[in-house]
Amino acid sequence: MDFNSFFLMRHELTLLAIIMILLIAEIFIPASRKNSIVSLALLLFGLHTLSGFFPLAESKLFGGMFRSNDLIHFFKNVLNLGVLILLLQSADWVKEKMTSNDRGTEFFILLFASLFGMYFMISAGDFLMFYIGLELSTLPVAALAAFEVLKRKSSEAGIKLILSAALASGVSLFGISMLYATAGSIFFDEIILNISLNNLTLLGFILFFAGLAFKISLVPFHFWTADVYEGAPISIASYLSVISKGAAVFIMMILLFSVLKPLMEVWENLIYVLALATMFTGNLFALRQENMKRFLAFSSIAQAGFILLGLITGTQLGTATVVYFVTIYIFSNLAAFGVVQAISLQTGRENMKDYEGLYRTNPKLSLVMMLALFSLAGIPPVAGFFGKFFLFTAAASQGYYLLVFLAVVNVTISLYYYLLVMRAMFLRKGDDPIPFFRNKIYMKLGLVITVVGILILGLYSPLYDYIFQLSGIFK
Amino acid sequence: MDILSLFVIVPVLVILALVFSKGLKQARLIAMIGGIIQLGMAINLIFAYTRERAVNDSIMLFTRDLTWFEQLNIHYSIGVDGISVALITLTSIVLLAGVFISWKIEDLPKEFFVSLIVLSTGVYGFFISIDLFTMFVFYEIAVIPMYLLIGIWGTGPKEYSAMKLTLMLMGASAVLMVGILGIYFNSNADGGALTFNILEIAKVNIPYEAQKLFFPLTFIGFAVLGALFPFHTWSPDGHASAPTAVSMLHAGVLMKLGGYGIFRIAMFLLPQGALTWSWFFIILSATGVIYGAFAALRQTDLKYINAYASVSHLGMVSFALLMLNKTAWNGAILQSLSHGFMTALFFALIGMIYGRTHTRDITKLGGLLKVIPFISAIYVITGLALLGLPGFSGFVAEMNIFMGAFLHDDMFHRILTIVSVSAIVVTAVYVLRVVGIMLMGPVKNTAYLKLPAVTWYEKAGILLLLIPIVGIGVAPLWLSNMIMQSLEPFIRGVL
């Protein structure tokens, strides 16, 4: 292994460097100037994101434990972009609430550590690397969920997340060991050659799948979602719902479409059922939510159900639509969470009722929210429409017309609750509307990027064509 | 720039201008100028179309095709035939009239006009599309602004109506989406590539099983928008709560998307499915025709009367379309146009009456002919047009529909036709009932003696809508020829 091949891990290495720099900065920057850590972290991560767009070779490292190809590279870029937006949106929160009690740097370090784990999870070439990545991506988030130590709900969220995550990863590990027992290897390339359908494989697969399903919060592994989202700081809730879910979807897709492809007849049926259960549960529970974070939690569960429609196909078209949808979903959901965060930061209000009359006092913020909701609901001409339409196209291409039909029923149900937020913001005047406020520059930037993304990603087709071409590895 | 894309680009520019406008005056001025430009474009389109048609006999004229999503073979394909040209003109007229009628809107005027124009852009886009995907995109763009339009500027139980309307129409579009995907994945039945292009798909022999499965989905998807019984329940509530201009655009234009879609997509692309299912949907349509008429007879709220009348008259459209013959189809298109103008005018008049008397309940009104003679006279004229008096557009349309329907050689269809025709009588009864109670007799309330006079913008709105009603009624031949000529390819495809 020569020195150059290390650059296959460029994403990982630069992120590691950023973590180190922040650690050192934490020591040397005096307490009175701790706020500059925020700008430093943003700057470094911005550069990191930019550097990600330079091309990267396709190859393997460590005897196949770590691999990189254009699709994986693209995943990492999407995640980077998402994290960058998230950092912009939470910069003011960190400045105002966290650096005062000297915890700003930790926030960034933990967040980046989790992202670091996700890189390895996506790039994994064997189950060991995958498992380490999974653990590394989850544990820091649990700490982050409990970050607002003074709030009881936040600590509760941390505990809930870490307990359920530990259970899920244990179950998953058990499944992996069974798969190892049948295939005789933990390397993906060898498993795909040796795996065959028998009872042990089946059990191993299901246990393993449960662990990942937990991360994506598929029903019935979704119970932690709403409580954790509600208790955790908003940036962490949006990290969980967007970045963490996106990464888990990517890795699930890679595993299902390549390593576990021989078990397709099993996971096809499994996903069929889970898709329906997840969509209906997420949507029906979202109808009754009053708190915006809980509301977005159930909405994100429902969205995960829609994603499964692309996963069920196992084809190039399916891959492309899933990646495309997740990319769009990251922008849309971050826009929604961004608005919630902006309002919560200024006024501390998080309930849907508080949003009544928002358009008349804060028209721009409500328009951003409107775009985000339309994108999540799948209404043209914003990006979410294209994402969802293509997912359904993928499912229909394999003849799953009934599933598509039930999914579109769900789209209508989801439209109802997204319109409830619209109703609060636009139709009602409200007894005590949120007064007008100006967002700080980072938040503005964070929201503007999401809006541009929502407007452009769908209409601008070369992106989809590019993703489709990348997805060729799953022909 | 091609002449059709302008119908998407100009409204977007108008919206941008509106976004940067300040105050009520600027907003409505921009909306009016935008409306006039669009009407000019529509008139120009008619002339251009007539000229081009004389030398070009392809199905669609002014076609343009831009690849959008290459991998899925999605294109931005546009083109028009005589039917779409007529409906585009209808849209531009009703939009301009709607702007005039909303002249005095005070609450968030900018946002109102923006939503109105977004709606009309969706409608234009729908009528010019010849790609299923593009069409579907525009369909949803046309529906969504209704939520805000009714919810913010409406009256009565507006939140409920807006939600019901949006959910039913978007639910329908969801069903439609499955139908469209079904058509798409069968468009390679003859060995070609998968395509969303309507003209390409029409050449393909889609397997019978698929046609049987996807025709009802596509049909219902569109028919909900056309207020087909029993999926019409959103329409009366929606109309009653909507502000005047929105009712006009909605009943006058948006609901036409339903009939047009049924014709252009469900029947054209899935002809065998249409043959198989026609008996079922024809019963629903006939029921709608009768039910709408009788329901209108029982109402006392002017908007409800008109909404149920729409259910009845649009029932005739799908009824005629399912009769699968040229005369009836011609009637269906004419009825769409004529109903568009008449119902928009009705809603405009109702808005004017409501604005002056603050009630829409006919039992509380009386003798209006004496106090607001202009509005009342126009109301009578429109009423006469609605009940199909010769010399107005309604007569031409209904004549064609029922003559065509009688041509059907099946006894079942003829009996249904006879049943449906009776709706005309009921229409006469409810129109005359309203005229009698509301306009004739002594003035019921002394407060009505001092009602404000008709303003210039109201007159402008009325005139815009009245001219085509009389025009089509007196000289239908030119329009009828244009439509008939465009029906040819459908005849070859379906019959």
Side-chain angles (χ1 to χ4, degrees):
Chain A
M1 199 170 93
D2 61 24
F3 183 70
N4 273 339
S5 52
F6 257 109
F7 282 104
L8 268 190
M9 306 205 310
R10 195 178 67 213
H11 282 276
E12 291 76 9
L13 291 177
T14 46
L15 192 61
L16 195 62
I18 293 175
I19 295 175
M20 291 302 164
I21 294 173
L22 287 178
L23 266 176
I24 296 167
E26 164 74 10
I27 300 170
F28 287 105
I29 291 181
S32 55
R33 293 180 49 210
K34 271 281 144 63
N35 264 341
S36 55
I37 287 270
V38 176
S39 310
L40 178 70
L42 267 171
L43 177 76
L44 289 174
F45 196 81
L47 290 175
H48 168 67
T49 309
L50 269 184
S51 76
F53 286 101
F54 289 100
L56 198 64
E58 294 202 10
S59 186
K60 290 175 182 170
L61 280 181
F62 312 126
M65 276 181 89
F66 181 94
R67 53 185 186 175
S68 180
N69 57 41
D70 285 343
L71 190 63
I72 289 173
H73 184 51
F74 182 80
F75 290 164
K76 289 179 184 169
N77 280 333
V78 171
L79 295 181
N80 281 344
L81 214 53
V83 171
L84 183 67
I85 297 170
L86 196 145
L87 289 181
L88 286 170
Q89 290 177 348
S90 44
D92 299 323
W93 172 75
V94 178
K95 267 186 188 169
E96 285 173 25
K97 300 272 160 72
M98 289 299 129
T99 42
S100 55
N101 47 16
D102 204 17
R103 309 183 56 219
T105 326
E106 286 150 51
F107 173 80
F108 292 111
I109 292 177
L110 285 170
L111 199 69
F112 292 160
S114 162
L115 185 65
F116 189 67
M118 279 172 197
Y119 287 167
F120 279 107
M121 188 165 82
I122 297 172
S123 274
D126 73 346
F127 273 120
L128 182 64
M129 184 66 97
F130 164 77
Y131 184 72
I132 295 172
L134 182 76
E135 287 291 285
L136 182 53
S137 70
T138 312
L139 291 178
V141 186
L144 285 169
F147 218 55
E148 287 179 298
V149 276
L150 298 177
K151 281 191 190 161
R152 201 173 143 257
K153 276 197 169 174
S154 182
S155 326
E156 196 184 314
I159 299 277
K160 264 185 188 147
L161 183 58
I162 202 151
L163 286 182
S164 36
L167 178 69
S169 86
V171 168
S172 200
L173 194 59
F174 192 30
I176 290 174
S177 61
M178 286 181 186
L179 288 176
Y180 172 66
T182 57
S185 170
I186 51 168
F187 279 89
F188 292 168
D189 293 344
E190 289 173 27
I191 291 178
I192 192 169
L193 298 175
N194 297 325
I195 202 165
S196 62
L197 193 57
N198 56 43
N199 287 343
L200 193 58
T201 331
L202 191 61
L203 188 61
F205 165 70
I206 288 175
L207 291 177
F208 162 73
F209 188 86
L212 264 185
F214 161 84
K215 279 217 98 163
I216 308 179
S217 41
L218 300 179
V219 173
F221 309 103
H222 68 288
F223 287 107
W224 59 280
T225 317
D227 291 342
V228 172
Y229 282 23
E230 192 190 1
I234 297 175
S235 348
I236 303 312
S238 68
Y239 182 81
L240 277 170
S241 92
V242 176
I243 311 295
S244 159
K245 183 173 283 186
V249 167
F250 287 150
I251 185 67
M252 181 185 265
M253 188 176 70
I254 293 176
L255 290 175
L256 288 182
F257 289 13
S258 61
V259 188
L260 302 168
K261 186 91 175 195
L263 307 179
M264 183 153 177
E265 51 182 307
V266 177
W267 58 254
E268 242 180 350
N269 296 326
L270 186 69
I271 287 185
Y272 196 108
V273 177
L274 284 187
L276 288 178
T278 309
M279 285 187 293
F280 276 105
T281 312
N283 279 325
L284 295 177
F285 277 89
L287 293 177
R288 309 278 307 162
Q289 300 306 320
E290 295 287 324
N291 179 289
M292 283 303 285
K293 281 153 85 183
R294 287 187 78 86
F295 164 81
L296 285 171
F298 281 108
S299 134
S300 83
I301 293 176
Q303 300 283 343
F306 290 121
I307 294 175
L308 291 186
L309 256 71
L311 279 180
I312 200 170
T313 59
T315 58
Q316 183 182 8
L317 179 65
T319 319
T321 52
V322 169
V323 177
Y324 185 61
F325 183 84
V326 170
T327 312
I328 289 169
Y329 168 75
I330 284 178
F331 280 89
S332 320
N333 226 21
L334 279 177
F337 268 112
V339 174
V340 173
Q341 172 140 13
I343 290 173
S344 168
L345 189 64
Q346 297 281 342
T347 63
R349 292 157 74 170
E350 286 177 0
N351 284 329
M352 200 184 288
K353 203 164 174 16
D354 300 327
Y355 284 55
E356 287 182 0
L358 188 69
Y359 180 71
R360 285 164 204 267
T361 54
N362 290 292
K364 282 181 190 157
L365 219 48
S366 1
L367 287 175
V368 175
M369 190 62 154
M370 180 180 91
L371 281 179
L373 294 175
F374 278 178
S375 190
L376 289 171
I379 288 168
V382 291
F385 167 78
F386 298 90
K388 224 164 248 181
F389 191 95
F390 292 173
L391 273 184
F392 295 167
T393 309
S397 74
Q398 302 295 308
Y400 291 111
Y401 287 109
L402 183 64
L403 183 62
V404 174
F405 179 76
L406 292 171
V408 292
V409 169
N410 270 288
V411 170
T412 314
I413 302 175
S414 75
L415 184 65
Y416 175 74
Y417 58 77
Y418 292 125
L419 285 179
L420 288 184
V421 183
M422 291 285 290
R423 181 177 80 180
M425 292 189 307
F426 288 87
L427 271 48
R428 300 216 163 142
K429 289 186 177 152
D431 310 324
D432 178 23
I434 289 163
F436 174 76
F437 63 85
R438 277 182 199 286
N439 281 307
K440 302 236 172 69
I441 182 75
Y442 285 137
M443 175 58 93
K444 264 188 196 158
L445 201 60
L447 290 177
V448 165
I449 296 176
T450 58
V451 167
V452 172
I454 290 174
L455 290 177
I456 303 278
L457 279 181
L459 293 170
Y460 183 70
S461 60
L463 178 81
Y464 177 76
D465 291 336
Y466 175 66
I467 294 177
F468 189 86
Q469 175 214 328
L470 290 184
S471 311
I473 56 167
F474 291 125
K475 254 175 201 158
Chain B
M1 183 44 62
D2 62 307
I3 185 167
L4 291 181
S5 287
L6 278 179
F7 282 98
V8 181
I9 293 163
V10 170
V12 172
L13 294 179
V14 177
I15 289 170
L16 282 181
L18 274 171
V19 168
F20 292 105
S21 70
K22 287 195 172 56
L24 168 65
K25 277 189 180 163
Q26 269 189 26
R28 67 187 177 203
L29 207 64
I30 292 172
M32 182 184 80
I33 293 169
I36 291 173
I37 294 174
Q38 287 169 45
L39 179 59
M41 276 158 33
I43 292 170
N44 176 39
L45 178 66
I46 297 178
F47 285 113
Y49 176 83
T50 328
R51 268 200 310 276
E52 180 77 10
R53 182 49 85 196
V55 292
N56 184 343
D57 66 343
S58 23
I59 299 177
M60 293 286 175
L61 299 186
F62 307 118
T63 49
R64 178 162 259 259
D65 192 274
L66 296 174
T67 307
W68 195 359
F69 290 91
E70 202 179 335
Q71 306 296 345
L72 293 168
N73 207 2
I74 291 171
H75 294 241
Y76 167 75
S77 299
I78 49 174
V80 285
D81 62 2
I83 303 166
S84 8
V85 170
L87 286 165
I88 288 169
T89 316
L90 165 76
T91 311
S92 64
I93 292 176
V94 177
L95 174 70
L96 184 58
V99 171
F100 279 126
I101 299 299
S102 333
W103 203 249
K104 283 286 175 204
I105 207 141
E106 272 162 12
D107 186 28
L108 304 175
K110 199 161 91 177
E111 287 79 356
F112 179 82
F113 288 120
V114 167
S115 312
L116 210 60
I117 292 170
V118 170
L119 192 160
S120 68
T121 315
V123 175
Y124 285 133
F126 186 85
F127 286 140
I128 61 174
S129 303
I130 49 175
D131 180 277
L132 288 175
F133 183 83
T134 321
M135 213 170 193
F136 185 71
V137 169
F138 282 119
Y139 172 104
E140 298 214 339
I141 292 180
V143 169
I144 267 301
M146 291 298 291
Y147 180 73
L148 294 176
L149 284 167
I150 296 178
I152 300 179
W153 295 277
T155 50
K158 56 186 182 181
E159 286 183 1
Y160 165 78
S161 307
M163 188 65 93
K164 181 174 179 182
L165 177 143
T166 318
L167 284 184
M168 279 190 80
L169 294 187
M170 294 308 268
S173 90
V175 174
L176 175 65
M177 183 161 138
V178 183
I180 285 179
L181 286 176
I183 295 175
Y184 172 67
F185 283 110
N186 282 295
S187 65
N188 60 353
D190 289 354
L194 291 174
T195 175
F196 279 106
N197 189 298
I198 295 173
L199 301 177
E200 297 291 320
I201 299 173
K203 292 178 199 149
V204 177
N205 294 310
I206 295 176
Y208 176 65
E209 283 305 312
Q211 297 213 15
K212 211 169 75 178
L213 179 62
F214 295 115
F215 178 80
L217 292 176
T218 321
F219 187 93
I220 290 175
F222 282 119
V224 175
L225 193 52
L228 176 79
F229 178 87
F231 309 109
H232 65 282
T233 56
W234 57 272
S235 149
D237 289 331
H239 285 319
S241 299
T244 305
V246 177
S247 295
M248 289 166 64
L249 266 161
H250 186 207
V253 178
L254 195 64
M255 289 168 85
K256 305 298 171 292
L257 264 56
Y260 181 83
I262 290 174
F263 187 61
R264 186 75 93 210
I265 295 178
M267 305 194 51
F268 186 40
L269 302 184
L270 306 167
Q272 287 164 304
L275 275 175
T276 313
W277 282 93
S278 78
W279 68 272
F280 177 70
F281 289 117
I282 219 159
I283 293 175
L284 288 187
S285 304
T287 317
V289 173
I290 297 295
Y291 164 83
F294 277 103
L297 196 57
R298 292 285 304 150
Q299 304 298 323
T300 53
D301 184 317
L302 279 171
K303 276 198 164 179
Y304 271 102
I305 295 176
N306 213 15
Y308 280 111
S310 292
V311 173
S312 169
H313 281 87
L314 288 177
M316 286 184 198
V317 173
S318 55
F319 181 76
L321 287 177
L322 288 162
M323 280 299 170
L324 304 179
N325 79 62
K326 203 174 164 182
T327 319
W329 280 352
N330 184 28
I333 311 289
L334 284 170
Q335 174 81 336
S336 287
L337 290 168
S338 138
H339 176 264
F341 291 119
M342 287 187 311
T343 202
L345 185 47
F346 256 129
F347 277 119
L349 295 167
I350 292 168
M352 290 172 202
I353 293 171
Y354 179 73
R356 287 173 171 76
T357 62
H358 305 290
T359 178
R360 291 192 312 247
D361 188 342
I362 53 169
T363 56
K364 293 189 181 133
L365 296 165
L368 289 188
L369 200 54
K370 295 195 185 78
V371 287
I372 35 173
F374 182 76
I375 296 175
S376 308
I378 303 287
Y379 198 98
V380 175
I381 293 174
T382 324
L384 295 179
L386 191 73
L387 59 80
L389 205 71
F392 295 107
S393 57
F395 173 73
V396 187
E398 283 172 16
M399 269 300 280
N400 272 296
I401 289 177
F402 291 115
M403 291 220 327
F406 269 118
L407 288 175
H408 207 287
D409 44 15
D410 183 33
M411 204 55 201
F412 168 72
H413 287 77
R414 287 199 193 176
I415 292 170
L416 278 180
T417 311
I418 295 168
V419 174
S420 304
V421 169
S422 62
I424 295 180
V425 183
V426 186
T427 308
V429 177
Y430 68 71
V431 168
L432 296 177
R433 166 173 169 259
V434 174
V435 169
I437 298 175
M438 185 173 81
L439 305 180
M440 310 294 175
V443 181
K444 216 165 191 177
N445 189 334
T446 46
Y448 295 162
L449 289 170
K450 276 183 252 165
L451 292 181
V454 185
T455 54
W456 69 267
Y457 46 83
E458 287 174 333
K459 278 187 185 158
I462 290 176
L463 212 62
L464 267 175
L465 295 167
L466 195 60
I467 292 171
I469 296 177
V470 180
I472 298 173
V474 175
L477 197 62
W478 170 79
L479 179 64
S480 185
N481 279 343
M482 188 165 93
I483 293 170
M484 277 294 203
Q485 194 273 338
S486 300
L487 289 175
E488 285 301 331
F490 292 88
I491 310 281
R492 281 199 295 271
V494 177
L495 297 185

